[in-house]
Amino acid sequence: MDEIIRRLRDEETLPERELRRLLSACDALSLHLLSEQAQEVRQLHYGRKVYIRGLIELTNICCNDCYYCGIRRSNRAVLRYRLSHEQIIECCAHGYSLGFRTFVLQGGEDPYWTADRLVRLIGEIRQGYPDCAITLSLGEWDRGDYERFFAAGANRFLLRHETFDPEHYARLHPEGMSAEHRQQCLRVLREIGFQTGTGVMVGSPGQTIDHLIQDIRFIEEFRPQMIGLGPFLPHKQTPFAAERAGSLELTLRLLSILRLMHPRALIPSTTALATLHPEGRLRGILAGCNVVMPNLSPAEQRKKYELYNDKAALGAEAAEGLHLLSQQLESIGYELSFERGDSPY
C-alpha cells in the first residue's frame, strides 16, 4: 500500500485497480499513510496556510427538488428566508472588517435572484471591494448569464457535479435535471474564464466504489482549480431521511487521494465534515485540505439554511469564531491566512 500511495504522489494518477484498492482499504495505517503524503504535498505548494472564505447564504428558497436536500422545493416545513441586496452588502462590509478577502455567495435557485439582480449585486461588491475575490455557488444557468456574472466581477464558481454516473445522478435528482447538463455547465464556466470548482457527496444513496472512480476520473480530466467534497448527510424531511450518513474515513481517504492527484487545487474542509464529527474540520485539514469557509450570513438565518440535519453553524463555523478557529488550526500546526489564495493554475 505504501508503494501505491507513493506512486500516486509521484505520478498524480493511478490505474483503476489500484485506485480501487485505496478506496476499499479499511485499515487505519493506509489512511495514515495517505494523509501523511497529502499533507506533505499541500505544504510543498501552500505551506501551512489555510485560506478563509466568508460564506454568505443568500436564500434558502429553491425551485429545485433534489431528493437529498433539506431546502428542496417540496419541503413545506422549512422556514424560508431571502437576504436583501442591502443585507448582503452589509455582510460583505462586516466580513471585510474581520479580514476576509473572499466572499462566497451561495443559495438555492431562487427565482427572485434573477441574472439582472445578481449582476447588480456582484458589480456593487466588486466596486466596493476591488481587492477581494467573489465566488458564486448558485447552481445552473445559461451561458449568457454566466458570462454576465464574470463580466460583472465574479472570479470563481463552485458547482459540484455530485456524481458523474447518469443513472446515479437520476436517483438523487428529479426529472428535468441531468448529469450531462451539470457537467456541461462546468465546462462552460471554465471556457468563460472562471476559476471553477466541482466535487461530490461521499456516501450518497446508491453510491458505489465504481461511481467514485468515475468521479475521480472526471475530476482528473476536468482539472478544476477547486475541489469540494463532503460526506452525504441525511435531512429528516427528504426522501432520504432514513439513509445512513456517509463515512468520515472514506471522505478523508478521498480528500487525500484528490490532493495527491491535484497538488495545487484549493480544497475546503467543509461544514459537513464538522457536522459529521466534532473534529471533522481539523481532520479534513490533516487529510490535505487548505480552505475553510466560516459563515458570514446573519446569525438569525444560519440555521435555516439546513441542507442536512444539525448543520454546524456556531463556534469555529461562524465568522465571529475566527479566534477559536485560529486556535484549533494552530493546535495541529496550521495557520489562518487572510490572503485571497488564488489557485496557481
Side-chain angles (χ1 to χ4, degrees):
M1 191 66 77
D2 185 52
E3 181 183 342
I4 292 173
I5 293 169
R6 290 185 185 280
R7 185 141 45 87
L8 175 61
R9 172 177 175 165
D10 292 343
E11 300 178 9
E12 299 178 11
T13 190
L14 280 176
E16 181 178 325
R17 178 173 57 85
E18 294 178 347
L19 276 176
R20 188 180 300 278
R21 272 192 73 185
L22 281 184
L23 289 168
S24 302
C26 298
D27 60 296
L29 178 58
S30 64
L31 182 59
H32 173 73
L33 290 171
L34 263 174
S35 63
E36 190 174 62
Q37 291 294 316
Q39 285 189 75
E40 287 185 15
V41 165
R42 61 139 295 164
Q43 288 171 24
L44 181 65
H45 295 281
Y46 290 103
R48 292 187 173 271
K49 295 177 181 178
V50 177
Y51 300 108
I52 60 167
R53 281 76 164 97
L55 179 63
I56 305 172
E57 295 162 335
L58 310 189
T59 175
N60 71 352
I61 298 166
C62 190
C63 62
N64 285 333
D65 216 14
C66 304
Y67 301 142
Y68 53 83
C69 184
I71 64 169
R72 63 195 301 258
R73 184 183 70 235
S74 294
N75 184 1
R76 305 302 181 196
V78 179
L79 295 174
R80 302 289 181 178
Y81 77 90
R82 176 189 294 132
L83 300 186
S84 68
H85 179 106
E86 291 73 24
Q87 284 177 304
I88 296 163
I89 297 300
E90 288 173 8
C91 289
C92 292
H94 177 54
Y96 195 86
S97 71
L98 292 173
F100 287 89
R101 293 300 178 265
T102 295
F103 303 123
V104 180
L105 308 184
Q106 184 179 77
E109 295 192 24
D110 181 348
Y112 172 84
W113 280 106
T114 61
D116 286 345
R117 287 190 169 111
L118 285 171
V119 164
R120 176 172 167 259
L121 175 66
I122 294 163
E124 186 167 340
I125 296 171
R126 171 56 59 227
Q127 183 175 8
Y129 306 98
D131 55 330
C132 291
I134 302 172
T135 302
L136 306 181
S137 181
L138 297 170
E140 298 179 359
W141 295 78
D142 293 335
R143 184 187 188 102
D145 295 326
Y146 286 141
E147 289 174 342
R148 293 181 67 198
F149 300 155
F150 187 74
N155 311 94
R156 307 168 181 156
F157 206 107
L158 302 174
L159 184 66
R160 287 187 181 182
H161 70 276
E162 301 296 8
T163 178
F164 180 82
D165 185 83
E167 292 183 5
H168 187 222
Y169 193 93
R171 179 169 179 177
L172 304 177
H173 299 86
E175 188 175 353
M177 299 183 71
S178 73
E180 181 182 8
H181 185 258
R182 178 63 59 98
Q183 293 157 24
Q184 180 58 26
C185 285
L186 283 163
R187 294 187 178 95
V188 166
L189 288 163
R190 280 295 297 266
E191 290 170 7
I192 290 169
F194 280 101
Q195 293 182 43
T196 307
T198 190
V200 301
M201 288 185 297
V202 181
S204 58
Q207 187 181 72
T208 65
I209 294 298
D210 287 337
H211 292 144
L212 288 176
I213 290 172
Q214 285 182 302
D215 292 323
I216 289 171
R217 292 299 188 220
F218 171 71
I219 293 170
E220 185 176 26
E221 175 268 327
F222 186 67
R223 305 297 295 179
Q225 288 95 346
M226 301 169 284
I227 303 171
L229 62 94
F232 163 77
L233 296 173
H235 189 282
K236 57 185 175 293
Q237 286 144 346
T238 69
F240 295 141
E243 298 284 341
R244 294 178 59 182
S247 161
L248 174 65
E249 286 70 26
L250 182 56
T251 304
L252 296 172
R253 191 177 296 275
L254 189 57
L255 282 168
S256 292
I257 289 170
L258 290 169
R259 168 56 67 200
L260 294 176
M261 295 181 75
H262 305 272
R264 297 173 181 82
L266 297 164
I267 305 179
S269 187
T270 62
T271 300
L273 273 172
T275 302
L276 182 62
H277 190 280
E279 296 182 357
R281 185 188 288 281
L282 297 183
R283 291 189 66 179
I285 299 298
L286 293 174
C289 296
N290 61 338
V291 172
V292 291
M293 296 197 292
N295 202 319
L296 273 173
S297 306
E300 66 273 14
Q301 308 294 9
R302 290 175 193 169
K303 292 295 283 185
K304 298 176 187 175
Y305 198 83
E306 191 179 61
L307 307 183
Y308 41 79
N309 292 339
D310 305 317
K311 172 193 165 191
L314 303 173
E317 304 306 311
E320 296 77 17
L322 286 183
H323 181 66
L324 174 59
L325 178 58
S326 180
Q327 288 181 323
Q328 290 179 349
L329 291 173
E330 287 173 6
S331 74
I332 59 170
Y334 288 85
E335 63 183 61
L336 270 186
S337 172
F338 290 85
E339 301 169 26
R340 276 176 50 141
D342 289 304
S343 172
Y345 66 91

PDB file of all heavy atoms in Angstrom, residues 144-168:
ATOM      1  N   GLY A 144     -25.053  32.662 -21.322  1.00  0.00           N
ATOM      2  CA  GLY A 144     -25.091  34.119 -21.322  1.00  0.00           C
ATOM      3  C   GLY A 144     -25.123  34.705 -19.926  1.00  0.00           C
ATOM      4  O   GLY A 144     -24.512  35.756 -19.669  1.00  0.00           O
ATOM      5  N   ASP A 145     -25.827  34.057 -18.999  1.00  0.00           N
ATOM      6  CA  ASP A 145     -25.876  34.529 -17.614  1.00  0.00           C
ATOM      7  C   ASP A 145     -24.524  34.369 -16.942  1.00  0.00           C
ATOM      8  O   ASP A 145     -24.042  35.290 -16.258  1.00  0.00           O
ATOM      9  CB  ASP A 145     -26.945  33.760 -16.826  1.00  0.00           C
ATOM     10  CG  ASP A 145     -28.345  34.024 -17.350  1.00  0.00           C
ATOM     11  OD1 ASP A 145     -28.609  35.160 -17.799  1.00  0.00           O
ATOM     12  OD2 ASP A 145     -29.174  33.098 -17.313  1.00  0.00           O
ATOM     13  N   TYR A 146     -23.886  33.222 -17.132  1.00  0.00           N
ATOM     14  CA  TYR A 146     -22.550  33.032 -16.573  1.00  0.00           C
ATOM     15  C   TYR A 146     -21.584  34.096 -17.093  1.00  0.00           C
ATOM     16  O   TYR A 146     -20.758  34.634 -16.343  1.00  0.00           O
ATOM     17  CB  TYR A 146     -22.013  31.641 -16.945  1.00  0.00           C
ATOM     18  CG  TYR A 146     -22.614  30.478 -16.202  1.00  0.00           C
ATOM     19  CD1 TYR A 146     -22.889  29.275 -16.861  1.00  0.00           C
ATOM     20  CD2 TYR A 146     -22.891  30.530 -14.830  1.00  0.00           C
ATOM     21  CE1 TYR A 146     -23.412  28.179 -16.191  1.00  0.00           C
ATOM     22  CE2 TYR A 146     -23.416  29.446 -14.148  1.00  0.00           C
ATOM     23  CZ  TYR A 146     -23.678  28.268 -14.843  1.00  0.00           C
ATOM     24  OH  TYR A 146     -24.197  27.184 -14.168  1.00  0.00           O
ATOM     25  N   GLU A 147     -21.690  34.417 -18.369  1.00  0.00           N
ATOM     26  CA  GLU A 147     -20.810  35.437 -18.952  1.00  0.00           C
ATOM     27  C   GLU A 147     -21.050  36.797 -18.301  1.00  0.00           C
ATOM     28  O   GLU A 147     -20.102  37.555 -18.049  1.00  0.00           O
ATOM     29  CB  GLU A 147     -21.027  35.516 -20.462  1.00  0.00           C
ATOM     30  CG  GLU A 147     -20.488  34.306 -21.210  1.00  0.00           C
ATOM     31  CD  GLU A 147     -20.836  34.317 -22.689  1.00  0.00           C
ATOM     32  OE1 GLU A 147     -21.767  35.059 -23.073  1.00  0.00           O
ATOM     33  OE2 GLU A 147     -20.176  33.586 -23.465  1.00  0.00           O
ATOM     34  N   ARG A 148     -22.300  37.098 -18.028  1.00  0.00           N
ATOM     35  CA  ARG A 148     -22.619  38.374 -17.375  1.00  0.00           C
ATOM     36  C   ARG A 148     -22.071  38.422 -15.947  1.00  0.00           C
ATOM     37  O   ARG A 148     -21.572  39.468 -15.501  1.00  0.00           O
ATOM     38  CB  ARG A 148     -24.132  38.596 -17.371  1.00  0.00           C
ATOM     39  CG  ARG A 148     -24.740  38.819 -18.752  1.00  0.00           C
ATOM     40  CD  ARG A 148     -26.235  39.044 -18.637  1.00  0.00           C
ATOM     41  NE  ARG A 148     -26.532  40.297 -17.944  1.00  0.00           N
ATOM     42  CZ  ARG A 148     -27.715  40.591 -17.406  1.00  0.00           C
ATOM     43  NH1 ARG A 148     -28.712  39.719 -17.462  1.00  0.00           N
ATOM     44  NH2 ARG A 148     -27.905  41.746 -16.809  1.00  0.00           N
ATOM     45  N   PHE A 149     -22.165  37.315 -15.235  1.00  0.00           N
ATOM     46  CA  PHE A 149     -21.634  37.277 -13.867  1.00  0.00           C
ATOM     47  C   PHE A 149     -20.116  37.514 -13.886  1.00  0.00           C
ATOM     48  O   PHE A 149     -19.582  38.242 -13.047  1.00  0.00           O
ATOM     49  CB  PHE A 149     -21.925  35.930 -13.200  1.00  0.00           C
ATOM     50  CG  PHE A 149     -23.391  35.581 -13.090  1.00  0.00           C
ATOM     51  CD1 PHE A 149     -23.789  34.246 -13.005  1.00  0.00           C
ATOM     52  CD2 PHE A 149     -24.364  36.568 -13.063  1.00  0.00           C
ATOM     53  CE1 PHE A 149     -25.128  33.911 -12.901  1.00  0.00           C
ATOM     54  CE2 PHE A 149     -25.712  36.245 -12.964  1.00  0.00           C
ATOM     55  CZ  PHE A 149     -26.096  34.906 -12.884  1.00  0.00           C
ATOM     56  N   PHE A 150     -19.451  36.894 -14.844  1.00  0.00           N
ATOM     57  CA  PHE A 150     -18.000  37.051 -14.952  1.00  0.00           C
ATOM     58  C   PHE A 150     -17.647  38.495 -15.305  1.00  0.00           C
ATOM     59  O   PHE A 150     -16.737  39.092 -14.710  1.00  0.00           O
ATOM     60  CB  PHE A 150     -17.467  36.077 -16.007  1.00  0.00           C
ATOM     61  CG  PHE A 150     -15.970  36.023 -16.091  1.00  0.00           C
ATOM     62  CD1 PHE A 150     -15.228  35.384 -15.118  1.00  0.00           C
ATOM     63  CD2 PHE A 150     -15.296  36.613 -17.158  1.00  0.00           C
ATOM     64  CE1 PHE A 150     -13.835  35.322 -15.196  1.00  0.00           C
ATOM     65  CE2 PHE A 150     -13.919  36.566 -17.247  1.00  0.00           C
ATOM     66  CZ  PHE A 150     -13.189  35.911 -16.258  1.00  0.00           C
ATOM     67  N   ALA A 151     -18.371  39.065 -16.251  1.00  0.00           N
ATOM     68  CA  ALA A 151     -18.108  40.449 -16.664  1.00  0.00           C
ATOM     69  C   ALA A 151     -18.366  41.436 -15.531  1.00  0.00           C
ATOM     70  O   ALA A 151     -17.702  42.477 -15.439  1.00  0.00           O
ATOM     71  CB  ALA A 151     -18.966  40.799 -17.883  1.00  0.00           C
ATOM     72  N   ALA A 152     -19.324  41.107 -14.648  1.00  0.00           N
ATOM     73  CA  ALA A 152     -19.654  41.991 -13.528  1.00  0.00           C
ATOM     74  C   ALA A 152     -18.594  41.972 -12.440  1.00  0.00           C
ATOM     75  O   ALA A 152     -18.553  42.865 -11.597  1.00  0.00           O
ATOM     76  CB  ALA A 152     -21.008  41.610 -12.943  1.00  0.00           C
ATOM     77  N   GLY A 153     -17.743  40.926 -12.457  1.00  0.00           N
ATOM     78  CA  GLY A 153     -16.656  40.899 -11.482  1.00  0.00           C
ATOM     79  C   GLY A 153     -16.513  39.646 -10.661  1.00  0.00           C
ATOM     80  O   GLY A 153     -15.644  39.579  -9.782  1.00  0.00           O
ATOM     81  N   ALA A 154     -17.338  38.627 -10.899  1.00  0.00           N
ATOM     82  CA  ALA A 154     -17.173  37.366 -10.175  1.00  0.00           C
ATOM     83  C   ALA A 154     -15.936  36.643 -10.712  1.00  0.00           C
ATOM     84  O   ALA A 154     -15.688  36.637 -11.923  1.00  0.00           O
ATOM     85  CB  ALA A 154     -18.404  36.485 -10.326  1.00  0.00           C
ATOM     86  N   ASN A 155     -15.174  36.025  -9.805  1.00  0.00           N
ATOM     87  CA  ASN A 155     -13.928  35.365 -10.199  1.00  0.00           C
ATOM     88  C   ASN A 155     -14.032  33.842 -10.252  1.00  0.00           C
ATOM     89  O   ASN A 155     -13.381  33.192 -11.061  1.00  0.00           O
ATOM     90  CB  ASN A 155     -12.813  35.688  -9.189  1.00  0.00           C
ATOM     91  CG  ASN A 155     -12.693  37.147  -8.890  1.00  0.00           C
ATOM     92  OD1 ASN A 155     -13.283  37.630  -7.918  1.00  0.00           O
ATOM     93  ND2 ASN A 155     -11.932  37.865  -9.699  1.00  0.00           N
ATOM     94  N   ARG A 156     -14.816  33.288  -9.331  1.00  0.00           N
ATOM     95  CA  ARG A 156     -14.847  31.839  -9.140  1.00  0.00           C
ATOM     96  C   ARG A 156     -16.286  31.352  -9.128  1.00  0.00           C
ATOM     97  O   ARG A 156     -17.201  32.094  -8.773  1.00  0.00           O
ATOM     98  CB  ARG A 156     -14.177  31.460  -7.816  1.00  0.00           C
ATOM     99  CG  ARG A 156     -12.775  32.015  -7.632  1.00  0.00           C
ATOM    100  CD  ARG A 156     -12.297  31.857  -6.196  1.00  0.00           C
ATOM    101  NE  ARG A 156     -10.960  32.416  -5.998  1.00  0.00           N
ATOM    102  CZ  ARG A 156     -10.486  32.828  -4.827  1.00  0.00           C
ATOM    103  NH1 ARG A 156     -11.252  32.744  -3.739  1.00  0.00           N
ATOM    104  NH2 ARG A 156      -9.258  33.308  -4.725  1.00  0.00           N
ATOM    105  N   PHE A 157     -16.440  30.077  -9.497  1.00  0.00           N
ATOM    106  CA  PHE A 157     -17.779  29.481  -9.447  1.00  0.00           C
ATOM    107  C   PHE A 157     -17.648  28.038  -8.948  1.00  0.00           C
ATOM    108  O   PHE A 157     -16.860  27.253  -9.485  1.00  0.00           O
ATOM    109  CB  PHE A 157     -18.448  29.490 -10.826  1.00  0.00           C
ATOM    110  CG  PHE A 157     -19.954  29.490 -10.758  1.00  0.00           C
ATOM    111  CD1 PHE A 157     -20.684  30.630 -11.059  1.00  0.00           C
ATOM    112  CD2 PHE A 157     -20.649  28.351 -10.358  1.00  0.00           C
ATOM    113  CE1 PHE A 157     -22.068  30.640 -10.989  1.00  0.00           C
ATOM    114  CE2 PHE A 157     -22.034  28.343 -10.290  1.00  0.00           C
ATOM    115  CZ  PHE A 157     -22.747  29.495 -10.601  1.00  0.00           C
ATOM    116  N   LEU A 158     -18.429  27.715  -7.916  1.00  0.00           N
ATOM    117  CA  LEU A 158     -18.467  26.365  -7.355  1.00  0.00           C
ATOM    118  C   LEU A 158     -19.748  25.678  -7.816  1.00  0.00           C
ATOM    119  O   LEU A 158     -20.846  26.196  -7.609  1.00  0.00           O
ATOM    120  CB  LEU A 158     -18.459  26.413  -5.825  1.00  0.00           C
ATOM    121  CG  LEU A 158     -17.281  27.133  -5.158  1.00  0.00           C
ATOM    122  CD1 LEU A 158     -17.512  27.226  -3.648  1.00  0.00           C
ATOM    123  CD2 LEU A 158     -15.977  26.417  -5.447  1.00  0.00           C
ATOM    124  N   LEU A 159     -19.607  24.529  -8.442  1.00  0.00           N
ATOM    125  CA  LEU A 159     -20.763  23.763  -8.912  1.00  0.00           C
ATOM    126  C   LEU A 159     -20.406  22.284  -8.839  1.00  0.00           C
ATOM    127  O   LEU A 159     -19.799  21.736  -9.760  1.00  0.00           O
ATOM    128  CB  LEU A 159     -21.128  24.160 -10.350  1.00  0.00           C
ATOM    129  CG  LEU A 159     -22.377  23.505 -10.937  1.00  0.00           C
ATOM    130  CD1 LEU A 159     -23.638  23.944 -10.204  1.00  0.00           C
ATOM    131  CD2 LEU A 159     -22.494  23.822 -12.429  1.00  0.00           C
ATOM    132  N   ARG A 160     -20.756  21.659  -7.754  1.00  0.00           N
ATOM    133  CA  ARG A 160     -20.448  20.227  -7.616  1.00  0.00           C
ATOM    134  C   ARG A 160     -21.194  19.420  -8.676  1.00  0.00           C
ATOM    135  O   ARG A 160     -22.390  19.618  -8.873  1.00  0.00           O
ATOM    136  CB  ARG A 160     -20.859  19.724  -6.240  1.00  0.00           C
ATOM    137  CG  ARG A 160     -19.969  20.178  -5.091  1.00  0.00           C
ATOM    138  CD  ARG A 160     -20.400  19.478  -3.828  1.00  0.00           C
ATOM    139  NE  ARG A 160     -19.622  19.874  -2.674  1.00  0.00           N
ATOM    140  CZ  ARG A 160     -19.791  19.370  -1.462  1.00  0.00           C
ATOM    141  NH1 ARG A 160     -20.727  18.455  -1.255  1.00  0.00           N
ATOM    142  NH2 ARG A 160     -19.049  19.769  -0.454  1.00  0.00           N
ATOM    143  N   HIS A 161     -20.486  18.511  -9.299  1.00  0.00           N
ATOM    144  CA  HIS A 161     -21.187  17.639 -10.247  1.00  0.00           C
ATOM    145  C   HIS A 161     -21.965  16.549  -9.498  1.00  0.00           C
ATOM    146  O   HIS A 161     -22.814  15.900 -10.080  1.00  0.00           O
ATOM    147  CB  HIS A 161     -20.205  17.041 -11.259  1.00  0.00           C
ATOM    148  CG  HIS A 161     -19.257  16.035 -10.711  1.00  0.00           C
ATOM    149  ND1 HIS A 161     -18.082  16.377 -10.084  1.00  0.00           N
ATOM    150  CD2 HIS A 161     -19.305  14.675 -10.705  1.00  0.00           C
ATOM    151  CE1 HIS A 161     -17.441  15.280  -9.720  1.00  0.00           C
ATOM    152  NE2 HIS A 161     -18.167  14.228 -10.074  1.00  0.00           N
ATOM    153  N   GLU A 162     -21.679  16.367  -8.210  1.00  0.00           N
ATOM    154  CA  GLU A 162     -22.374  15.448  -7.281  1.00  0.00           C
ATOM    155  C   GLU A 162     -22.093  13.983  -7.583  1.00  0.00           C
ATOM    156  O   GLU A 162     -21.723  13.224  -6.702  1.00  0.00           O
ATOM    157  CB  GLU A 162     -23.893  15.700  -7.248  1.00  0.00           C
ATOM    158  CG  GLU A 162     -24.291  17.108  -6.835  1.00  0.00           C
ATOM    159  CD  GLU A 162     -23.901  17.485  -5.414  1.00  0.00           C
ATOM    160  OE1 GLU A 162     -23.182  16.723  -4.740  1.00  0.00           O
ATOM    161  OE2 GLU A 162     -24.281  18.586  -4.973  1.00  0.00           O
ATOM    162  N   THR A 163     -22.305  13.544  -8.794  1.00  0.00           N
ATOM    163  CA  THR A 163     -21.933  12.198  -9.223  1.00  0.00           C
ATOM    164  C   THR A 163     -21.873  12.193 -10.748  1.00  0.00           C
ATOM    165  O   THR A 163     -22.727  12.787 -11.404  1.00  0.00           O
ATOM    166  CB  THR A 163     -22.934  11.134  -8.719  1.00  0.00           C
ATOM    167  OG1 THR A 163     -22.550   9.839  -9.210  1.00  0.00           O
ATOM    168  CG2 THR A 163     -24.354  11.424  -9.156  1.00  0.00           C
ATOM    169  N   PHE A 164     -20.850  11.564 -11.304  1.00  0.00           N
ATOM    170  CA  PHE A 164     -20.691  11.558 -12.756  1.00  0.00           C
ATOM    171  C   PHE A 164     -21.679  10.615 -13.435  1.00  0.00           C
ATOM    172  O   PHE A 164     -22.159  10.888 -14.531  1.00  0.00           O
ATOM    173  CB  PHE A 164     -19.255  11.148 -13.108  1.00  0.00           C
ATOM    174  CG  PHE A 164     -18.987  11.103 -14.584  1.00  0.00           C
ATOM    175  CD1 PHE A 164     -18.687  12.264 -15.279  1.00  0.00           C
ATOM    176  CD2 PHE A 164     -19.062   9.909 -15.291  1.00  0.00           C
ATOM    177  CE1 PHE A 164     -18.450  12.234 -16.648  1.00  0.00           C
ATOM    178  CE2 PHE A 164     -18.834   9.867 -16.658  1.00  0.00           C
ATOM    179  CZ  PHE A 164     -18.523  11.035 -17.331  1.00  0.00           C
ATOM    180  N   ASP A 165     -21.992   9.513 -12.789  1.00  0.00           N
ATOM    181  CA  ASP A 165     -22.820   8.474 -13.396  1.00  0.00           C
ATOM    182  C   ASP A 165     -24.252   8.959 -13.633  1.00  0.00           C
ATOM    183  O   ASP A 165     -24.925   9.385 -12.688  1.00  0.00           O
ATOM    184  CB  ASP A 165     -22.842   7.245 -12.485  1.00  0.00           C
ATOM    185  CG  ASP A 165     -23.578   6.085 -13.112  1.00  0.00           C
ATOM    186  OD1 ASP A 165     -22.972   5.363 -13.909  1.00  0.00           O
ATOM    187  OD2 ASP A 165     -24.776   5.912 -12.804  1.00  0.00           O
ATOM    188  N   PRO A 166     -24.762   8.911 -14.873  1.00  0.00           N
ATOM    189  CA  PRO A 166     -26.097   9.441 -15.166  1.00  0.00           C
ATOM    190  C   PRO A 166     -27.218   8.759 -14.386  1.00  0.00           C
ATOM    191  O   PRO A 166     -28.157   9.426 -13.929  1.00  0.00           O
ATOM    192  CB  PRO A 166     -26.258   9.209 -16.673  1.00  0.00           C
ATOM    193  CG  PRO A 166     -24.876   9.084 -17.196  1.00  0.00           C
ATOM    194  CD  PRO A 166     -24.070   8.454 -16.105  1.00  0.00           C
ATOM    195  N   GLU A 167     -27.136   7.438 -14.235  1.00  0.00           N
ATOM    196  CA  GLU A 167     -28.190   6.720 -13.513  1.00  0.00           C
ATOM    197  C   GLU A 167     -28.165   7.062 -12.032  1.00  0.00           C
ATOM    198  O   GLU A 167     -29.229   7.231 -11.400  1.00  0.00           O
ATOM    199  CB  GLU A 167     -28.043   5.217 -13.728  1.00  0.00           C
ATOM    200  CG  GLU A 167     -28.332   4.784 -15.160  1.00  0.00           C
ATOM    201  CD  GLU A 167     -28.242   3.282 -15.341  1.00  0.00           C
ATOM    202  OE1 GLU A 167     -28.051   2.564 -14.330  1.00  0.00           O
ATOM    203  OE2 GLU A 167     -28.352   2.823 -16.495  1.00  0.00           O
ATOM    204  N   HIS A 168     -26.983   7.150 -11.466  1.00  0.00           N
ATOM    205  CA  HIS A 168     -26.896   7.531 -10.056  1.00  0.00           C
ATOM    206  C   HIS A 168     -27.366   8.969  -9.855  1.00  0.00           C
ATOM    207  O   HIS A 168     -28.054   9.283  -8.876  1.00  0.00           O
ATOM    208  CB  HIS A 168     -25.451   7.366  -9.555  1.00  0.00           C
ATOM    209  CG  HIS A 168     -25.298   7.573  -8.091  1.00  0.00           C
ATOM    210  ND1 HIS A 168     -24.256   8.276  -7.537  1.00  0.00           N
ATOM    211  CD2 HIS A 168     -26.082   7.180  -7.041  1.00  0.00           C
ATOM    212  CE1 HIS A 168     -24.390   8.304  -6.228  1.00  0.00           C
ATOM    213  NE2 HIS A 168     -25.481   7.660  -5.898  1.00  0.00           N
TER     214      HIS A 168
END
